[in-house]
Amino acid sequence: MQGITIKYLQEYIKSKDHNPNLKHEFFLKLSEEVGELAQAIRKDPKRASEANIKGTIEEEIWDVMYYCLVLANCYDIDIDMEKWIPIKENLSNEKWKKM
């Protein structure tokens, strides 16, 4: 079985949750989810299991990823975010070499 790709996730999210008029609200939701991730990390909760993901770091990381991809879709960023990963990685590598 092939793994889930970022492109697949973007398409999936776009099919169920796409409303560019809500960019501001989606950003606020992303900020909220980052805060929930911080709380989960601070609490050092149990690991997620098939039976329970609620309140885990895994749940909160997914929520952050979800809203990042919602925003990418709202701004019509190419439906294949995977193409931007190596470009950004190269920029980051150059930045950190100089420091």
Side-chain angles (χ1 to χ4, degrees), residues 18-68:
H18 183 67
N19 188 340
N21 294 327
L22 297 178
K23 293 173 189 171
H24 181 259
E25 288 78 5
F26 287 140
F27 178 75
L28 292 176
K29 187 64 179 159
L30 171 61
S31 299
E32 178 183 326
E33 295 300 343
V34 169
E36 289 177 12
L37 174 59
Q39 285 181 322
I41 290 170
R42 190 178 64 235
K43 290 179 183 176
D44 195 26
K46 62 193 175 312
R47 297 294 310 254
S49 68
E50 299 268 335
N52 185 24
I53 191 172
K54 193 71 181 149
T56 64
I57 293 171
E58 291 89 343
E59 176 190 25
E60 301 308 337
I61 287 175
W62 165 244
D63 290 344
V64 169
M65 290 173 51
Y66 182 94
Y67 284 103
C68 285

